[in-house]
């Protein structure tokens, strides 16, 4: 019965343009004829509501009318503007975009599939000890930069804002379209997960570093292919000695999201251990540099070509950016949704998810 009802509702919705106006706890629908070839993702989601599923708030219109409204398109625009403004102010070819990506990555990358703990839900990086973990050094810059947007849209959770900022930054820097949906909540308590769940740059020995990378990502539930794709985010940004001890960008275009990271790993060498910096001996931790000394790779980056299975995927992504973008987009959405129970969200439910998929 449900299938028939859904088919009928979907057919009607695809042939009619509907707008829902909640007044006096009643639904008012107005229709405008569509051509046979016209399609509206919004109406498909609406058809789910009409069929009796989906947007749970519409089952109680008074609650829906009282729920806080967030215009996520405006939030996205403000994040994009913030990235552009940072680029203009810096004037050195960099922007805060890569740091937004790192913020979203690190707030999500604490998840453990076995204990079902960690992840982006809660936004616990606002508190000690997480905000002072070595892996999160320097991320107060991006958190503070987003405070103005949080004040403008107080209903949005920090957890949603941080993951959205990273997703918007990826697209603004030329990366793939990211499917993002709201529904994360903020915690009023610090994290209960231990430090050490985020990847380290070096574990001393080559095999230890390779194993470490695989263990960190496997703990979250990622395959080798997903791991390599996510590490491809090193196409943007750079390391700062004051934060990590390491120096330099991974590519020559650190605010352009592309497959250049993989191409350089394969073709940009020979990669040798860095020994000098600006004419003086290098005193930082072990890192690798190309012949020009202008770009670098961490030992965990070199693991991508030291390991045979990783290397094969790197070679593929170096040759095929579309394949990289497709894999990255899926893996990124999986990453920022780890540990989030969207069914308990009071702000959007399935309808908001459908709308977010199609850019509404």
């Amino acid at each position: 019965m449900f299938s028939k009802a859904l088919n009928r509702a979907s057919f009607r919705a695809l042939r009619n343009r509907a707008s829902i106006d909640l007044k006096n706890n009643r639904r008012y629908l107005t229709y405008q004829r569509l051509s046979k070839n016209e399609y509206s993702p919004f109406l498909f989601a609406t058809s789910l509501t009409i069929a009796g599923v989906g947007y749970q708030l519409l089952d109680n219109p008074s609650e829906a009318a009282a729920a806080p409204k967030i215009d996520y398109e405006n939030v996205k625009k403000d994040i994009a503007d913030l990235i552009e403004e940072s680029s203009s102010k810096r004037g050195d070819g960099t922007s805060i975009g890569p740091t937004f990506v790192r913020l979203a990555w690190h707030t999500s990358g604490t998840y453990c599939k076995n204990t079902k703990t960690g992840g982006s839900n809660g936004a616990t990086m606002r508190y000690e000890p997480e905000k002072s973990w070595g892996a999160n050094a320097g991320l107060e810059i991006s958190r503070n930069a987003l405070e103005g947007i949080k004040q403008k849209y107080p209903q949005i959770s920090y957890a949603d804002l941080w993951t959205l900022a990273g997703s918007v930054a990826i697209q603004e820097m030329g990366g793939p379209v990211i499917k993002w949906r709201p529904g994360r909540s903020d915690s009023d308590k610090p994290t209960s997960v231990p430090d050490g769940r985020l990847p380290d740059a070096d574990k001393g020995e080559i095999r230890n570093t390779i194993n470490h990378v695989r263990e960190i990502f496997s703990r979250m539930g990622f395959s080798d292919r997903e791991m390599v794709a996510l590490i491809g985010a090193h196409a943007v940004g750079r390391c700062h000695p004051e934060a990590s001890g390491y120096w330099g960008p991974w590519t020559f275009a650190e605010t352009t999201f592309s497959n250049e990271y993989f191409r350089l790993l394969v073709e940009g060498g020979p990669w040798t251990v860095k020994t000098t910096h600006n004419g003086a001996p290098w005193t930082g931790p072990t890192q690798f540099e190309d012949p020009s000394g202008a770009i670098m790779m961490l030992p965990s980056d070199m693991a991508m070509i030291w390991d045979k299975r990783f290397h094969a995927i790197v070679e593929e992504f170096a040759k095929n950016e579309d394949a990289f973008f497709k894999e990255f987009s899926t893996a990124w959405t999986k990453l920022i949704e780890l540990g989030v129970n969207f069914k308990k969200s009071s702000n959007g439910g399935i309808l908001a998810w459908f709308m977010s998929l199609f850019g509404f």
Side-chain angles (χ1 to χ4, degrees):
M1 179 179 292
F2 169 78
S3 178
K4 292 181 179 179
L6 178 58
N7 288 338
R8 289 195 300 268
S10 298
F11 176 77
R12 290 195 300 269
L14 292 174
R15 292 295 305 275
N16 299 278
R17 189 181 308 278
S19 63
I20 299 176
D21 183 18
L22 299 175
K23 295 179 180 178
N24 302 321
N25 295 342
R26 296 178 60 189
R27 298 189 182 100
Y28 292 81
L29 300 178
T30 58
Y31 296 93
Q32 178 181 350
R33 302 296 294 178
L34 292 179
S35 67
K36 292 182 179 179
N37 295 324
E38 195 171 358
Y39 171 71
S40 169
F42 173 79
L43 290 180
F44 178 74
T46 304
S47 72
L48 297 183
T49 300
I50 297 172
V53 298
Y55 193 28
Q56 58 188 10
L57 292 183
L58 288 182
D59 290 333
N60 189 333
S62 61
E63 291 183 8
K69 299 294 189 297
I70 303 173
D71 188 331
Y72 289 104
E73 285 308 303
N74 282 339
V75 179
K76 292 177 185 178
K77 182 180 182 302
D78 287 349
I79 293 171
D81 289 345
L82 186 59
I83 295 171
E84 181 63 29
E85 289 169 9
S86 74
S87 178
S88 298
K89 289 179 180 179
R90 295 183 182 191
D92 60 358
T94 69
S95 80
I96 201 168
T99 315
F100 284 164
V101 176
R102 181 167 166 248
L103 174 64
W105 208 118
H106 283 215
T107 194
S108 305
T110 58
Y111 184 72
C112 175
K113 65 179 182 180
N114 295 324
T115 62
K116 303 294 190 293
T117 57
S120 63
N121 215 34
T124 50
M125 200 191 297
R126 292 170 293 146
Y127 308 116
E128 296 290 358
E130 188 175 353
K131 70 178 182 180
S132 293
W133 289 349
N136 292 332
L139 286 179
E140 71 279 359
I141 296 172
S142 55
R143 296 195 303 269
N144 292 340
L146 291 168
E147 276 300 315
I149 294 178
K150 172 63 175 173
Q151 292 174 13
K152 184 175 180 180
Y153 306 96
Q155 301 95 337
I156 193 172
S157 67
Y158 280 102
D160 273 346
L161 179 58
W162 293 353
T163 55
L164 180 57
S167 301
V168 169
I170 289 166
Q171 294 184 204
E172 287 296 308
M173 292 186 287
V177 173
I178 301 296
K179 295 178 181 179
W180 178 93
R181 54 174 164 164
R184 299 161 191 79
S185 60
D186 292 336
S187 173
D188 58 0
K189 298 177 182 179
T191 185
S192 61
V193 306
D195 191 3
R197 287 191 175 185
L198 294 169
D200 290 331
D202 189 8
K203 284 297 183 181
E205 298 294 328
I206 291 175
R207 179 46 57 185
N208 290 343
T209 300
I210 293 171
N211 289 342
H212 171 70
V213 171
R214 193 167 268 122
E215 288 168 3
I216 288 290
F217 284 88
S218 295
R219 188 204 68 234
M220 291 184 276
F222 290 110
S223 66
D224 278 7
R225 188 174 179 82
E226 291 171 319
M227 297 178 201
V228 176
L230 287 171
I231 292 173
H234 280 174
V236 297
R238 63 166 52 218
C239 288
H240 300 270
E242 65 274 17
S244 64
Y246 297 98
W247 175 89
W250 288 269
T251 72
F252 293 101
E254 58 189 276
T255 57
T256 299
F257 198 100
S258 69
N259 68 336
E260 188 68 358
Y261 167 78
F262 299 114
R263 191 192 68 79
L264 289 169
L265 268 174
V266 174
E267 303 174 6
W271 294 97
T272 57
V273 174
K274 184 178 180 67
T275 58
T276 62
H277 185 67
N278 292 333
W282 171 248
T283 58
T286 300
Q287 66 178 73
F288 296 80
E289 63 182 8
D290 77 326
S292 74
I295 57 175
M296 65 92 206
M297 293 289 171
L298 304 172
S300 55
D301 296 307
M302 298 304 294
M304 296 295 99
I305 53 177
W306 287 337
D307 181 82
K308 186 176 297 185
R309 283 185 286 167
F310 286 155
H311 196 161
I313 302 167
V314 168
E315 289 269 8
E316 178 189 352
F317 290 162
K319 297 174 182 176
N320 190 336
E321 186 175 77
D322 288 342
F324 164 50
F325 274 20
K326 181 179 180 180
E327 193 68 46
F328 179 88
S329 178
T330 302
W332 177 265
T333 298
K334 176 179 175 179
L335 171 69
I336 61 176
E337 293 192 351
L338 291 173
V340 183
N341 188 345
F342 289 98
K343 293 180 181 179
K344 294 182 179 180
S345 169
S346 62
N347 191 15
I350 293 177
L351 179 58
W353 176 61
F354 266 97
M355 293 174 70
S356 69
L357 292 185
F358 295 99
F360 284 90

